[in-house]
Amino acid sequence: QLIIAGESAGATVALGCLLRLRDAGAIAACWAGAVLTFGLYDWGAGPSRRGIRASDVEDTLDPESLAVVGDRWFIGDEFGPYILETDATGRVLALHETLLEGRPARSPDHHMLAQLPNVPGVVGFNVRRSRGFEPMAATPDGARLIAAFEGPLVDPQTGQPETLDGAAVVRLLEFDVATRRWTGRAWRYRLENPANVIGDLAMIDGTNAVLIERDDASEGSPALACNGPARPDCFNRPAAFKRVVRIDLA
């Protein structure tokens, strides 16, 4: 079995097709879309019920991270956000809802969106679109998963990002593999810049980890910036901030 994941449409569709074909129990039946580069949606059947995307399906998944524990594969999704659990053959075993402080953490692309009543008014969400689980890692003993949101949570009413002492923060959550439950433990990581995001995470041991904080630019060195109109021999939006940080989760 080969599972391919990445930012491009082709990689996401490849992963989606492989897992969907193995989902005999319809556990991930809410997953029915594809993700394109730059956050566009490619289902093209007219506006959805809430006009959020061009789609007549209930939802999409955007797999971003993978942790293997024994014969179980845990895939972090940033659209629900969810943790998708499969066996080593790609058969879907569970779709784990994200809980934060005992309550669901949901983005506008959560599958429950399709079940909301058709009433006027703003529907509040505490996870920004495409800011769910970008990185996720297992502890060396396989007992826990540490999943991190890509960006800060937001206030459902105001839309303002979560801060601590004036600095934007990103939450990291702990998932117990044995019980398949969120433990309730969470950490706040302070971003150097509120526009930055968390790109990756790896556990060193049971309590120490390294993560990548980066800006949301596309790629390339500032030394090779176009500094003008985009051209094929330079970078139109070069990276401005990339940092590897060691963190203590004790």
Side-chain angles (χ1 to χ4, degrees):
Q1 294 289 329
L2 175 64
I3 287 186
I4 306 171
E7 294 289 345
S8 68
T12 304
V13 172
L15 175 58
C17 290
L18 175 61
L19 292 177
R20 191 66 186 269
L21 290 172
R22 299 285 302 172
D23 188 16
I27 294 171
C30 60
W31 178 11
V35 184
L36 287 180
T37 307
F38 309 121
L40 302 177
Y41 299 84
D42 187 28
W43 238 246
S48 68
R49 270 172 277 184
R50 297 191 59 82
I52 287 178
R53 58 182 176 270
S55 172
D56 65 348
V57 295
E58 292 184 12
D59 198 26
T60 61
L61 288 182
D62 185 11
E64 293 286 352
S65 50
L66 173 67
V68 179
V69 179
D71 63 349
R72 294 292 183 264
W73 293 29
F74 297 90
I75 300 168
D77 157 75
E78 72 171 10
F79 272 11
Y82 316 99
I83 292 180
L84 186 71
E85 181 181 352
T86 80
D87 64 15
T89 71
R91 183 170 60 95
V92 177
L93 303 176
L95 189 69
H96 300 289
E97 180 90 27
T98 300
L99 295 179
L100 176 64
E101 298 173 350
R103 303 179 64 181
R106 294 173 176 170
S107 85
D109 293 298
H110 190 280
H111 74 273
M112 288 297 292
L113 178 67
Q115 302 180 27
L116 292 174
N118 188 18
V119 296
V122 177
V123 178
F125 299 92
N126 54 356
V127 181
R128 279 184 55 199
R129 168 161 292 140
S130 194
R131 287 294 185 264
F133 295 141
E134 178 80 8
M136 181 175 66
T139 54
D141 60 4
R144 297 170 291 131
L145 302 176
I146 304 297
F149 294 98
E150 185 176 17
L153 298 174
V154 295
D155 185 289
Q157 303 303 317
T158 67
Q160 294 300 306
E162 182 181 19
T163 61
L164 181 65
D165 297 331
V169 294
V170 174
R171 297 279 192 120
L172 292 82
L173 309 183
E174 183 182 66
F175 184 84
D176 185 272
V177 173
T179 64
R180 302 305 198 267
R181 295 179 182 272
W182 299 97
T183 67
R185 298 183 71 200
W187 299 265
R188 292 176 174 88
Y189 171 80
R190 295 188 186 186
L191 293 171
E192 185 76 15
N193 184 305
N196 288 351
V197 295
I198 302 301
D200 209 346
L201 173 73
M203 298 299 300
I204 300 173
D205 53 36
T207 59
N208 291 279
V210 290
L211 60 76
I212 296 176
E213 178 182 348
R214 62 176 178 83
D215 61 9
D216 211 15
S218 57
E219 60 184 351
S221 167
L224 301 175
C226 292
N227 296 318
R231 306 190 311 272
D233 61 341
C234 59
F235 295 105
N236 187 39
R237 295 180 62 231
F241 184 98
K242 307 286 183 185
R243 183 173 295 174
V244 178
V245 182
R246 180 169 177 168
I247 57 175
D248 183 0
L249 303 179

